[in-house]
Coordinates of all heavy atoms in Angstrom, one line a residue:
E426 N 170.6 84.1 -60.5 CA 170.6 85.3 -61.3 C 171.9 86.1 -61.2 O 172.3 86.4 -60.1 CB 169.4 86.2 -60.9 CG 169.2 87.3 -61.9 CD 168.0 88.1 -61.6 OE1 167.2 87.7 -60.8 OE2 167.8 89.2 -62.2
L427 N 172.6 86.3 -62.4 CA 173.8 87.0 -62.3 C 173.7 88.4 -61.6 O 172.9 89.2 -62.1 CB 174.3 87.1 -63.8 CG 175.9 87.6 -64.0 CD1 176.8 86.7 -63.2 CD2 176.2 87.6 -65.4
A428 N 174.6 88.6 -60.7 CA 174.5 89.8 -59.9 C 175.8 90.5 -59.7 O 176.9 89.8 -59.9 CB 173.8 89.6 -58.6
G429 N 175.9 91.7 -59.3 CA 177.1 92.3 -58.9 C 177.7 93.3 -60.0 O 178.7 93.9 -59.7
F430 N 177.0 93.4 -61.1 CA 177.5 94.3 -62.2 C 176.9 95.7 -62.0 O 175.7 95.8 -61.7 CB 177.1 93.7 -63.6 CG 178.1 92.5 -64.0 CD1 177.8 91.3 -63.7 CD2 179.2 92.9 -64.8 CE1 178.7 90.3 -64.0 CE2 180.0 91.8 -65.2 CZ 179.8 90.5 -64.8
E431 N 177.6 96.7 -62.4 CA 177.2 98.1 -62.4 C 177.7 98.8 -63.7 O 178.9 98.4 -64.2 CB 177.7 98.8 -61.2 CG 177.2 98.3 -59.9 CD 177.9 99.0 -58.7 OE1 179.1 98.6 -58.4 OE2 177.4 99.9 -58.2
I432 N 177.0 99.7 -64.2 CA 177.6 100.4 -65.4 C 177.3 102.0 -65.1 O 176.4 102.4 -64.3 CB 176.8 100.1 -66.7 CG1 175.2 100.2 -66.6 CG2 177.2 98.6 -67.1 CD1 174.6 100.0 -68.0
A433 N 178.1 102.8 -65.9 CA 178.0 104.2 -65.8 C 178.1 104.8 -67.2 O 178.7 104.3 -68.0 CB 179.1 104.7 -64.9
G434 N 177.5 106.0 -67.3 CA 177.7 106.8 -68.5 C 178.9 107.7 -68.3 O 179.8 107.6 -67.5
S435 N 178.9 108.7 -69.2 CA 180.1 109.6 -69.2 C 180.1 110.5 -67.9 O 181.2 111.0 -67.6 CB 180.0 110.6 -70.4 OG 178.7 111.2 -70.4
D436 N 179.1 110.5 -67.2 CA 179.1 111.3 -65.8 C 179.8 110.5 -64.7 O 179.9 111.0 -63.7 CB 177.7 111.6 -65.5 CG 176.8 110.5 -65.3 OD1 177.3 109.3 -65.4 OD2 175.5 110.7 -64.9
G437 N 180.0 109.2 -65.0 CA 180.8 108.4 -63.9 C 179.9 108.0 -62.9 O 180.4 107.4 -61.9
V438 N 178.6 108.1 -63.0 CA 177.7 107.7 -61.8 C 177.2 106.2 -62.2 O 176.6 105.9 -63.2 CB 176.5 108.6 -61.8 CG1 175.5 108.1 -60.6 CG2 176.9 110.1 -61.4
Y439 N 177.5 105.3 -61.2 CA 177.2 103.9 -61.4 C 175.8 103.5 -60.9 O 175.4 104.0 -59.9 CB 178.2 103.0 -60.8 CG 179.6 103.0 -61.6 CD1 180.5 103.9 -61.4 CD2 179.7 101.9 -62.6 CE1 181.7 103.8 -62.2 CE2 180.9 101.8 -63.3 CZ 181.9 102.8 -63.1 OH 183.0 102.8 -63.9
F440 N 175.2 102.6 -61.6 CA 173.9 102.1 -61.2 C 174.0 100.6 -61.3 O 174.6 100.0 -62.2 CB 172.8 102.7 -62.1 CG 172.5 104.1 -62.0 CD1 173.2 105.0 -62.9 CD2 171.7 104.6 -61.0 CE1 172.9 106.3 -62.7 CE2 171.5 106.0 -60.9 CZ 172.1 106.8 -61.8
P441 N 173.3 99.9 -60.4 CA 173.1 98.4 -60.6 C 172.6 98.1 -61.9 O 171.7 98.7 -62.4 CB 172.3 98.0 -59.4 CG 172.4 99.1 -58.4 CD 172.6 100.4 -59.2
A442 N 173.2 97.0 -62.5 CA 172.7 96.6 -63.8 C 172.3 95.2 -63.9 O 172.6 94.3 -63.1 CB 174.0 96.9 -64.8
N443 N 171.5 95.0 -65.0 CA 171.1 93.6 -65.4 C 172.2 93.0 -66.1 O 172.8 93.7 -67.0 CB 169.8 93.7 -66.1 CG 168.6 94.2 -65.4 OD1 168.4 93.8 -64.2 ND2 167.9 95.2 -65.9
A444 N 172.5 91.8 -65.8 CA 173.6 91.1 -66.6 C 173.1 89.7 -67.0 O 172.5 89.0 -66.1 CB 174.8 91.1 -65.8
E445 N 173.5 89.3 -68.1 CA 173.2 87.9 -68.6 C 174.4 87.4 -69.5 O 175.0 88.1 -70.1 CB 171.9 87.8 -69.3 CG 171.8 88.7 -70.6 CD 170.4 88.7 -71.2 OE1 169.8 87.6 -71.0 OE2 170.1 89.6 -71.9
I446 N 174.6 86.1 -69.3 CA 175.7 85.4 -70.1 C 175.1 85.0 -71.5 O 174.1 84.3 -71.6 CB 176.2 84.3 -69.4 CG1 176.8 84.7 -68.0 CG2 177.3 83.5 -70.1 CD1 177.2 83.5 -67.1
K447 N 175.8 85.5 -72.5 CA 175.4 85.1 -74.0 C 176.7 84.8 -74.7 O 177.6 85.6 -74.8 CB 174.7 86.3 -74.6 CG 173.3 86.5 -74.0 CD 172.6 87.5 -74.9 CE 171.1 87.7 -74.5 NZ 170.4 88.6 -75.4
N448 N 176.8 83.5 -75.1 CA 178.0 83.0 -75.9 C 179.2 83.3 -75.2 O 180.3 83.7 -75.7 CB 177.9 83.7 -77.3 CG 176.7 83.3 -78.1 OD1 176.3 82.2 -78.1 ND2 176.2 84.2 -78.8
D449 N 179.2 83.0 -73.8 CA 180.4 83.2 -73.0 C 180.9 84.6 -72.9 O 182.1 84.9 -72.7 CB 181.6 82.2 -73.3 CG 181.2 80.7 -72.9 OD1 180.6 80.6 -71.9 OD2 181.6 79.8 -73.6
K450 N 180.0 85.6 -73.1 CA 180.3 86.9 -72.9 C 179.2 87.5 -72.0 O 178.1 86.8 -71.9 CB 180.3 87.7 -74.1 CG 181.5 87.3 -75.1 CD 181.4 88.1 -76.5 CE 182.5 87.7 -77.4 NZ 182.4 88.4 -78.7
V451 N 179.3 88.6 -71.3 CA 178.3 89.1 -70.4 C 177.8 90.4 -71.0 O 178.6 91.3 -71.3 CB 179.0 89.3 -69.0 CG1 177.8 90.0 -68.1 CG2 179.4 88.0 -68.4
H452 N 176.4 90.5 -71.1 CA 175.8 91.6 -71.6 C 175.3 92.3 -70.4 O 174.5 91.8 -69.5 CB 174.7 91.3 -72.6 CG 175.2 90.8 -73.9 ND1 174.3 90.7 -75.0 CD2 176.4 90.4 -74.3 CE1 175.1 90.2 -76.0 NE2 176.3 90.0 -75.6
V453 N 175.6 93.7 -70.2 CA 175.2 94.4 -69.1 C 174.4 95.7 -69.6 O 174.9 96.4 -70.4 CB 176.5 94.8 -68.3 CG1 176.1 95.5 -66.9 CG2 177.4 93.6 -68.0
H454 N 173.3 95.9 -68.9 CA 172.6 97.1 -69.3 C 171.8 97.6 -68.1 O 171.4 96.8 -67.1 CB 171.6 96.8 -70.5 CG 170.4 96.0 -70.0 ND1 170.6 94.6 -70.1 CD2 169.1 96.3 -69.7 CE1 169.4 94.0 -69.8 NE2 168.5 95.0 -69.5
S455 N 171.3 98.9 -68.1 CA 170.5 99.5 -67.1 C 169.5 100.5 -67.7 O 170.0 101.3 -68.6 CB 171.3 100.1 -66.0 OG 170.5 100.8 -65.1
E456 N 168.3 100.5 -67.3 CA 167.3 101.4 -67.8 C 167.7 102.9 -67.4 O 167.3 103.9 -68.0 CB 165.9 101.2 -67.4 CG 165.4 99.9 -67.9 CD 164.0 99.6 -67.4 OE1 163.5 100.3 -66.6 OE2 163.4 98.6 -67.9
R457 N 168.6 102.9 -66.4 CA 168.9 104.3 -65.8 C 170.2 104.9 -66.5 O 170.6 106.0 -66.2 CB 169.2 104.2 -64.4 CG 167.9 103.7 -63.6 CD 168.2 103.7 -62.1 NE 168.3 105.1 -61.6 CZ 168.5 105.3 -60.2 NH1 168.6 104.3 -59.4 NH2 168.5 106.5 -59.8
V458 N 170.8 104.1 -67.4 CA 172.0 104.5 -68.1 C 171.8 104.3 -69.6 O 171.8 103.3 -70.2 CB 173.2 103.8 -67.7 CG1 174.5 104.4 -68.5 CG2 173.4 103.9 -66.2
E459 N 171.4 105.4 -70.2 CA 171.0 105.4 -71.7 C 172.2 105.1 -72.6 O 172.1 104.4 -73.6 CB 170.3 106.7 -72.1 CG 169.8 106.7 -73.5 CD 169.1 107.9 -73.9 OE1 168.8 108.8 -73.0 OE2 168.8 108.2 -75.1
K460 N 173.3 105.8 -72.2 CA 174.5 105.6 -73.1 C 175.7 105.2 -72.1 O 176.4 105.9 -71.7 CB 174.9 106.9 -73.7 CG 173.9 107.3 -74.8 CD 174.4 108.7 -75.4 CE 173.4 109.1 -76.5 NZ 173.8 110.4 -77.1
P461 N 175.8 103.8 -71.9 CA 176.8 103.4 -71.0 C 178.2 103.6 -71.6 O 178.4 103.5 -72.7 CB 176.4 101.8 -70.8 CG 175.7 101.5 -72.1 CD 174.9 102.8 -72.5
K462 N 179.1 103.7 -70.7 CA 180.5 103.9 -71.1 C 181.5 103.0 -70.3 O 182.4 102.5 -71.0 CB 181.0 105.3 -70.8 CG 182.4 105.7 -71.2 CD 182.7 107.2 -70.9 CE 184.1 107.4 -71.4 NZ 184.4 108.9 -71.1
N463 N 181.3 102.7 -69.1 CA 182.2 101.9 -68.2 C 181.4 100.8 -67.4 O 180.2 101.1 -67.2 CB 183.0 102.7 -67.3 CG 184.1 103.4 -68.1 OD1 185.1 102.7 -68.6 ND2 184.1 104.7 -68.2
V464 N 182.0 99.8 -67.0 CA 181.4 98.7 -66.4 C 182.3 98.2 -65.2 O 183.5 98.3 -65.3 CB 181.1 97.5 -67.3 CG1 182.3 97.0 -68.0 CG2 180.3 96.4 -66.6
R465 N 181.7 97.7 -64.1 CA 182.5 97.2 -63.0 C 181.7 96.0 -62.4 O 180.5 95.9 -62.7 CB 182.8 98.2 -62.0 CG 181.7 98.8 -61.3 CD 182.2 100.0 -60.4 NE 181.1 100.5 -59.5 CZ 181.2 101.6 -58.9 NH1 182.4 102.3 -58.9 NH2 180.2 102.0 -58.0
Y466 N 182.4 95.1 -61.8 CA 181.8 93.9 -61.1 C 182.4 93.7 -59.8 O 183.6 93.9 -59.6 CB 182.0 92.8 -62.0 CG 181.7 91.4 -61.3 CD1 180.4 91.1 -61.0 CD2 182.8 90.6 -60.9 CE1 180.2 89.9 -60.3 CE2 182.5 89.4 -60.2 CZ 181.2 89.1 -60.0 OH 180.9 87.9 -59.3
G467 N 181.5 93.3 -58.8 CA 182.0 93.0 -57.4 C 182.7 94.2 -56.8 O 183.5 94.0 -55.9
W468 N 182.2 95.3 -57.0 CA 182.8 96.6 -56.6 C 182.4 97.0 -55.2 O 181.8 98.1 -54.9 CB 182.6 97.7 -57.6 CG 183.8 98.7 -57.5 CD1 183.7 100.1 -57.1 CD2 185.1 98.5 -57.9 NE1 184.9 100.7 -57.2 CE2 185.8 99.7 -57.7 CE3 185.8 97.4 -58.5 CZ2 187.2 99.9 -57.9 CZ3 187.1 97.5 -58.7 CH2 187.8 98.8 -58.5
K469 N 182.7 96.1 -54.2 CA 182.3 96.3 -52.8 C 183.4 95.7 -52.0 O 184.2 94.9 -52.4 CB 181.0 95.6 -52.4 CG 179.8 96.2 -53.1 CD 178.5 95.4 -52.8 CE 177.3 95.9 -53.5 NZ 176.1 95.2 -53.0
N470 N 183.5 96.2 -50.7 CA 184.4 95.5 -49.8 C 184.0 94.1 -49.6 O 184.9 93.2 -49.6 CB 184.4 96.2 -48.5 CG 185.3 97.5 -48.4 OD1 186.3 97.6 -49.0 ND2 184.8 98.5 -47.8
Y471 N 182.8 93.8 -49.4 CA 182.3 92.5 -49.2 C 181.1 92.1 -50.0 O 180.2 92.9 -50.3 CB 181.9 92.2 -47.7 CG 181.3 90.9 -47.5 CD1 182.3 89.8 -47.3 CD2 180.0 90.6 -47.3 CE1 181.7 88.5 -47.1 CE2 179.5 89.4 -47.1 CZ 180.4 88.3 -47.0 OH 179.9 87.0 -46.8
L472 N 181.2 90.9 -50.7 CA 180.0 90.5 -51.4 C 180.1 88.9 -51.5 O 181.1 88.3 -51.1 CB 180.2 91.0 -52.8 CG 181.3 90.4 -53.7 CD1 180.8 90.5 -55.2 CD2 182.6 91.2 -53.5
K473 N 179.0 88.4 -51.8 CA 178.9 86.9 -52.1 C 178.7 86.7 -53.6 O 177.6 86.9 -54.1 CB 177.7 86.3 -51.3 CG 177.9 86.3 -49.8 CD 176.8 85.6 -49.0 CE 177.0 85.6 -47.6 NZ 175.9 85.0 -46.8

Side-chain angles (χ1 to χ4, degrees):
E426 185 177 350
L427 188 56
F430 282 86
E431 300 171 278
I432 58 173
S435 57
D436 60 1
V438 179
Y439 282 87
F440 293 94
N443 298 312
E445 56 183 335
I446 298 169
K447 290 189 175 183
N448 299 319
D449 284 327
K450 299 177 183 179
V451 177
H452 291 192
V453 188
H454 70 277
S455 171
E456 295 180 355
R457 302 183 67 178
V458 183
E459 185 177 348
K460 295 181 178 180
K462 183 179 179 181
N463 284 294
V464 59
R465 64 191 188 187
Y466 166 72
W468 207 249
K469 296 178 180 179
N470 281 321
Y471 177 76
L472 70 153
K473 293 183 177 180

